[in-house]
Amino acid sequence: MGFFDFLNQKIAIDLGTSNTLIIHNGKIIIDKPSIITIHQITGKIIAVGKEAGMMRGKINKNIKTIYPFNNGVISNFDAAEKMLKTFIKKFPTLNSAIFSTSYNMIISIPCASTEVEMRAVQESARRLNAKQIFLIPEPIAAALGSGIDVLEPKGNMVVDIGGGTTEIAVISLGRIISGQSVKVAGNVFNEDIIQYVRESRNLHIGESMAEKIKIKIGAAMDNLSTPPLPINAEGRDMLTGKPKQIKLSHKEVRKSIDTSIMQIENAIIETLSEIPPEISSDIYSTGILLTGGGSMLRGLDERLSKVTELPVHLGDHPLKAVVKGSSKVLKNLDLYKSVLVKKK
């Protein structure tokens, strides 16, 4: 480390609806669920991250579970600040960086973020003592984190399915040619599963169980080359009120989330229909890059390929692509200045 390196700390943050990831000087040091539990009377922080997630639905009326980010943006400013500061305190190297003379921070945002939403993100960063704050559209960060050269005069399409939003964008020369944020993603899949199990199997399950079902047997197609085994789902019987367990198959999960996946498909087709023919020619060759936690749904790449008649590729590290791409930009600001969100 150089003598003056402490004056130029670099922090990249992915404020995900489901997970928060932080890279400090090139290394991922925080990868935690974006959730915090607070005592409503005293305001005291009870838990953050995984510990807070384990408390969902199991706490008393005086303790509130809060998700600081909704649809990829800050929905509870105070809770977001408390959660981030708690994360930072757990890592001495990052904690010391926060109080260093100067450091740069880059934060990824949905491509359809409003001015108000962007100001909220910037203000949150300022409260963490950031001296220089940069914003980058999530699809561009995801592409960079997946190894795509976004500065090339060539069209690339990215579909980043997170917890709160699905970011769809066609990128060329470092800019988004056509794109949109769809408020259908991992959390909506969870809600779909809860509703299906309740209506078709008379079982009321919680968010944690729905998330587990999605991860263990979630699928976008019935016919899979290696289908997962059925999973036991526990909850409350809607008729008797007693605890109950049922077996659930991947075909039932596919059925429950089918309408939501179709919304994503329609948004992809709509985005493709808005691009110039020269870019369409590039996309025909390069195909579609899938990133984000939702992209790991079994058979989703094959299903989207059939619908679009294009090759669909799953990124190597779909959960970390956005924060890795953001960090890459921060390391090479002069090269990637054009991909940043312009200040107005």
Side-chain angles (χ1 to χ4, degrees):
M1 179 180 286
F3 184 74
F4 292 105
D5 281 1
F6 73 97
L7 296 176
N8 191 26
Q9 302 282 348
K10 296 177 175 65
I11 298 171
I13 303 182
D14 176 10
L15 301 175
T17 302
S18 298
N19 287 281
T20 294
L21 291 95
I22 299 179
I23 287 183
H24 177 224
N25 289 343
K27 182 180 179 182
I28 295 179
I29 61 169
I30 290 175
D31 182 358
K32 305 281 187 182
S34 302
I35 183 171
I36 182 171
T37 51
I38 297 175
H39 197 286
Q40 295 198 88
I41 298 174
T42 65
K44 181 182 177 183
I45 298 169
I46 306 299
V48 297
K50 185 178 180 180
E51 292 79 11
M54 292 170 67
M55 295 180 181
R56 283 186 296 186
K58 302 176 183 179
I59 49 184
N60 64 51
K61 62 181 180 181
N62 291 326
I63 299 176
K64 187 177 183 182
T65 298
I66 302 172
Y67 300 88
F69 312 116
N70 184 34
N71 296 328
V73 296
I74 297 174
S75 58
N76 189 315
F77 196 87
D78 183 59
E81 185 182 355
K82 286 179 177 177
M83 186 189 76
L84 288 171
K85 282 186 175 179
T86 304
F87 283 155
I88 288 164
K89 285 178 182 177
K90 292 184 177 182
F91 287 85
T93 54
L94 182 55
N95 197 26
S96 62
I98 291 299
F99 298 104
S100 65
T101 305
S102 176
Y103 75 92
N104 298 334
M105 178 180 286
I106 187 168
I107 303 176
S108 55
I109 59 170
C111 57
S113 295
T114 65
E115 286 293 314
V116 172
E117 290 166 345
M118 285 190 279
R119 281 199 297 269
V121 170
Q122 289 171 321
E123 180 59 29
S124 180
R126 288 191 190 97
R127 292 197 182 193
L128 291 173
N129 208 33
K131 298 301 185 293
Q132 289 196 81
I133 304 158
F134 305 98
L135 303 181
I136 181 172
E138 285 178 9
I140 292 180
L144 280 165
S146 301
I148 291 177
D149 183 357
V150 300
L151 299 179
E152 277 189 316
K154 183 179 182 180
N156 288 283
M157 186 173 204
V158 179
V159 178
D160 180 48
I161 308 174
T165 64
T166 292
E167 300 291 305
I168 302 168
V170 174
I171 303 162
S172 180
L173 289 168
R175 309 304 301 169
I176 293 176
I177 304 300
S178 177
Q180 57 180 302
S181 294
V182 184
K183 292 179 181 178
V184 177
N187 289 351
V188 172
F189 295 158
N190 291 346
E191 293 166 11
D192 291 340
I193 293 168
I194 290 171
Q195 184 178 350
Y196 172 84
V197 173
R198 183 173 61 241
E199 293 179 354
S200 67
R201 305 295 294 273
N202 290 318
L203 185 73
H204 186 54
I205 60 172
E207 291 178 53
S208 298
M209 180 54 65
E211 177 79 8
K212 179 182 176 182
I213 292 167
K214 181 182 69 180
I215 292 171
K216 294 285 186 181
I217 62 169
M221 298 174 64
D222 284 347
N223 300 319
L224 301 173
S225 55
T226 54
L229 295 172
I231 189 175
N232 290 324
E234 297 89 19
R236 187 183 73 237
D237 191 299
M238 298 291 291
L239 301 177
T240 67
K242 298 176 183 178
K244 184 182 177 181
Q245 182 185 84
I246 63 168
K247 275 202 179 297
L248 210 61
S249 71
H250 77 276
K251 291 183 179 181
E252 290 179 279
V253 177
R254 192 280 308 161
K255 185 177 179 181
S256 70
I257 63 177
D258 197 59
T259 300
S260 293
I261 293 176
M262 286 176 65
Q263 286 181 257
I264 294 173
E265 290 172 344
N266 292 337
I268 292 172
I269 296 297
E270 183 182 342
T271 302
L272 286 168
S273 70
E274 296 172 352
I275 59 178
E278 293 83 359
I279 300 293
S280 294
S281 176
D282 289 340
I283 302 299
Y284 185 80
S285 301
T286 59
I288 299 172
L289 172 69
L290 276 183
T291 66
S295 69
M296 299 168 74
L297 210 59
R298 294 163 185 80
L300 181 61
D301 52 349
E302 186 180 344
R303 173 168 171 166
L304 292 179
S305 183
K306 287 180 179 178
V307 169
T308 61
E309 299 181 2
L310 294 169
V312 177
H313 318 284
L314 183 63
D316 291 337
H317 303 284
L319 289 166
K320 299 172 182 176
V322 170
V323 76
K324 283 189 171 185
S326 300
S327 180
K328 188 174 183 178
V329 170
L330 203 53
K331 285 181 182 177
N332 303 277
L333 277 173
D334 290 339
L335 177 62
Y336 291 112
K337 192 178 294 183
S338 64
V339 310
L340 297 171
V341 175
K342 300 291 185 292
K343 294 180 180 178
K344 296 184 180 181

